[in-house]
Amino acid sequence: MVQLQTIASRVYLEDDLLDYAVAITSFTRAHPRVALGASPRATLGLVQAAKACAMIAGKPFVAPDDIRAMAPSVLAHRIVMTAEAETDTNGAERVVEEALSKVSYRRGMRAV
């Protein structure tokens, strides 16, 4: 298990994809139906899960689809809904789905 974690940690992640993961978790913190959104630690968990997903697929790098695939599992249980939204049993999952549909990945040019 530790060996697999070590291998997954070596999977390459572009800075733009880290920004994408941060934007997704930030979306959950700003959502009006969310009392407590996904934390910065949740972002790290999302990145680690995306690296593991890429590794299992035999890729040496993370793709946006790896982040999108892992986001619901990693983030939904870390979101606390407002009292008004508590009755929706799938509310947190819907927030993550909304984040994925509204936050787009853009590969940008970065200054060196």
Side-chain angles (χ1 to χ4, degrees), residues 94-107:
R94 287 189 227 290
V95 169
V96 175
E97 289 171 12
E98 187 178 343
L100 293 173
S101 70
K102 291 187 176 178
V103 176
S104 62
Y105 169 70
R106 278 197 191 148
R107 187 170 187 181

Side-chain angles (χ1 to χ4, degrees), residues 4 46 85 90:
L4 290 176
L46 177 56
N90 295 323

